[in-house]
Amino acid sequence: MSGAQRSLGLWMLIALVIGNIIGSGVFVLPAALAPYGAASLLGWAISLAGALMLALVYAWLAQIVPNHGGAYAYARRAFGDRVGFLVAWSYWVCVWSANAAIAVAFAGSLGSVWPAATATPWRGALCALGALWVCTFISLSGVREAGYTAIITTSLKLVPLVVFGLLGLGWVHASAFHPFNASGLPLVSVASSVAALTLWGFLGLETATVPTGVVRDPQRTVPRATVIGMTIAGLATMLACTVVVGMLPADVLHASAAPMAEAARRTWGPAAGIGIGVVASISCFGALNGWVLLQAQTTLAPALDGLFPKAFARLDGRGTPWFGLLASSLLASALIVSNYSRTLVALFTFTILLSTAATLLPYLITVLAWWRIDRASSRWRRMVAVGALAFSAWALVGTGTETLLWGAVLVLAGLPIYLWQRRAVASLPEG
């Protein structure tokens, strides 16, 4: 990759990490956490700690294995082509299905500000498709353009989110956190349930490790961007969600489709509610921009290694893997269109399920790859890796039977492509 094509510096990469983590989840999670009250902080603590440990493992691997492709490169280095393909395939499905979910979330956020835009399921689907393809064309215009868009949209959502969280602390009602465990369930069950719900809010911690081929000084930039971006995004998300839980009555919080906007409206007036709706729309669009950039880079490395069809390795004059970008956006579009008759909430839930099922396996295999690659690590690093491994395994099991079945289906769907590619490579003449 030429120096001219290495367009992403530290600040752009940090913006991509923060932007990909802070998307739609922070604006809707408080409603899902309402039944657990203050006890939800236990689940948040577990998720944040687990995500930070995973981010550290990814950062260490980025220093050891500078290959393009993130989790795919680590898995292939540690376990060979078969496991490498499995991780690449799973993560690719995660990315384009996540893009469908975020595009749908953008439509829902826009609908809270402009109801006519999502008055019917078909209008909602068109809004989602419009956002998806605008971001696709931004990425087609070049990596640097997508990076600048990430900086702008991340600033426009991170600053208001932090300001909301800090100001909202003054309007938190202590009674909202009594009783401490409103659900009455054992605290272990509460922590497990909350951590499973908040998992979606931390997906994207690995963002910086994927497009290393277009990053300046990747062995230094990628680890720093991973840890800094994950820390900022995780703390901002946890602060905002916890404040919303303390600002609204439990019954109102549980029934609200836009709890953060509802809290702002009740506290500071209708204009504040609309303002949060605008921030949510910008947040979703910014996350979509970052994930669309990621989908093009996700398929490039395995295609260059002969594990994906070689069409995915085609670059345009700006160094953009245009075929992988367009193919991924087409699949995300098909997912949106094929389910457009669902309500936006049902469609969002379905696509989250699909994306989460696809991303947990790469997380788990990445930690195992670190154990195999970095055998001479310090005791402290080994302790962090043990925690990351336990969190990944627990999260994989805790997502439930339906999610695990979806994951199995997705893995099996990739096997014909792997076998076809291996046959194509084997048939090439030697030398």
Side-chain angles (χ1 to χ4, degrees):
M1 191 72 71
S2 69
Q5 290 174 332
R6 291 187 178 273
S7 304
L8 298 180
L10 177 62
W11 290 108
M12 283 186 179
L13 209 55
I14 290 174
L16 279 173
V17 174
I18 295 173
N20 281 13
I21 293 175
I22 300 177
S24 57
V26 65
F27 298 96
V28 297
L29 275 175
L33 300 176
Y36 305 104
S40 63
L41 290 172
L42 296 174
W44 270 117
I46 292 173
S47 284
L48 183 58
L52 283 171
M53 288 187 288
L54 279 169
L56 284 170
V57 172
Y58 270 95
W60 298 334
L61 282 168
Q63 294 175 316
I64 302 169
V65 185
N67 304 56
H68 200 47
Y72 155 74
Y74 311 146
R76 184 169 182 261
R77 165 81 172 268
F79 304 112
D81 286 350
R82 290 186 180 87
V83 178
F85 174 86
L86 175 67
V87 168
W89 176 264
S90 296
Y91 192 70
W92 180 50
V93 173
C94 158
V95 171
W96 62 255
S97 58
N99 285 342
I102 298 168
V104 169
F106 168 81
S109 298
L110 184 63
S112 68
V113 179
W114 182 25
T118 57
T120 66
W122 184 239
R123 286 188 186 182
L126 287 176
C127 283
L129 290 171
L132 173 66
W133 284 97
V134 166
C135 290
T136 299
F137 289 124
I138 290 173
S139 286
L140 280 174
S141 66
V143 171
R144 182 177 293 275
E145 285 69 18
Y148 282 133
T149 303
I151 289 178
I152 294 170
T153 55
T154 297
S155 300
L156 288 174
K157 64 183 174 181
L158 180 62
V159 173
L161 191 65
V162 173
V163 170
F164 170 87
L166 294 175
L167 288 178
L169 287 172
W171 276 267
V172 169
H173 303 289
S175 59
F177 296 106
H178 293 289
F180 176 78
N181 183 7
S183 67
L185 298 171
L187 287 179
V188 173
S189 299
V190 171
S192 179
S193 298
V194 171
L197 287 170
T198 55
L199 179 62
W200 167 257
F202 291 125
L203 296 186
L205 61 93
E206 72 290 342
T207 294
T209 67
V210 178
T212 53
V214 291
V215 174
R216 294 193 294 270
D217 190 13
Q219 285 183 283
R220 176 177 170 83
T221 303
V222 170
R224 293 170 67 193
T226 298
V227 175
I228 294 172
M230 173 61 227
T231 302
I232 294 173
L235 292 175
T237 300
M238 184 175 177
L239 170 65
C241 288
T242 303
V243 165
V244 172
V245 172
M247 290 175 69
L248 290 176
D251 57 336
V252 174
L253 182 62
H254 187 66
S256 177
M260 191 173 293
E262 179 67 18
R265 185 187 66 79
R266 284 174 171 249
T267 305
W268 300 301
I274 293 174
I276 291 295
V278 172
V279 172
S281 299
I282 294 172
S283 178
C284 292
F285 184 84
L288 186 60
N289 171 71
W291 282 98
V292 166
L293 171 64
L294 209 62
Q295 74 183 12
Q297 302 296 326
T298 297
T299 54
L300 177 59
L304 290 172
D305 292 332
L307 297 181
F308 269 37
K310 60 182 180 181
F312 286 95
R314 293 174 182 168
L315 305 178
D316 62 16
R318 300 181 181 88
T320 302
W322 63 270
F323 182 87
L325 178 63
L326 294 178
S328 303
S329 289
L330 284 171
L331 286 168
S333 299
L335 184 59
I336 292 170
V337 171
S338 63
N339 292 275
Y340 83 92
S341 60
R342 298 171 182 249
T343 65
L344 284 178
V345 173
L347 178 54
F348 182 65
T349 302
F350 174 76
T351 47
I352 279 181
L353 174 67
L354 189 60
S355 182
T356 303
T359 198
L360 285 171
L361 187 60
Y363 281 176
L364 182 62
I365 293 177
T366 294
V367 181
L368 293 174
W370 180 85
W371 278 102
R372 187 156 187 169
I373 294 171
D374 194 7
R375 297 179 183 274
S377 59
S378 66
R379 178 179 297 180
W380 179 77
R381 288 195 174 192
R382 289 197 297 270
M383 290 174 61
V384 171
V386 167
L389 183 64
F391 175 74
S392 301
W394 169 79
L396 184 64
V397 174
T399 51
T401 304
E402 186 177 8
T403 301
L404 293 176
L405 289 175
W406 270 111
V409 170
L410 292 171
V411 170
L412 291 174
L415 287 179
I417 293 178
Y418 174 75
L419 295 174
W420 177 271
Q421 285 301 113
R422 299 311 297 166
R423 172 184 281 185
V425 171
S427 65
L428 292 175
E430 295 185 4

